[in-house]
Amino acid sequence: LRGGFKFRLTQDFQFTFCLDAETYKPIYPSTKEKLNYVLCTVTVPTKFVTNLISSPPIMWPLVPQTGPGSWSSIVHDYMY
């Protein structure tokens, strides 16, 4: 990356989320008791390389690569 960093996972990263069983749209865990739901788990393997949050260097003061939500960037980069 020009002016950026790459990060390598040192262990497997698992992310589990809930989908409505009928529409397959994401739902919040707090509402899953009221609906039929499906749990989906994504496992990102050890040694996967990501750049975490992709933002240009000029934006890093506002959107740093390792800021809140960078865990979702790992899953996004792996699924992409």
Side-chain angles (χ1 to χ4, degrees):
L1 294 172
R2 286 176 283 165
F5 301 97
K6 291 186 181 180
F7 302 88
R8 184 181 309 274
L9 297 180
T10 58
Q11 62 186 29
D12 285 356
F13 178 80
Q14 280 195 330
F15 179 72
T16 302
F17 54 97
C18 297
L19 296 177
D20 182 306
E22 294 178 16
T23 63
Y24 288 98
K25 292 183 179 179
I27 59 172
Y28 290 103
S30 60
T31 61
K32 69 183 184 185
E33 289 81 22
K34 302 172 190 166
L35 301 168
N36 292 329
Y37 66 94
V38 177
L39 285 177
C40 298
T41 300
V42 176
T43 302
V44 183
T46 303
K47 297 184 180 180
F48 178 74
V49 176
T50 178
N51 64 348
L52 296 180
I53 297 175
S54 300
S55 60
I58 196 167
M59 296 295 292
W60 287 354
L62 299 173
V63 186
Q65 283 185 300
T66 59
S70 59
W71 55 269
S72 61
S73 299
I74 297 170
V75 175
H76 172 270
D77 289 355
Y78 181 68
M79 299 291 288
Y80 188 75

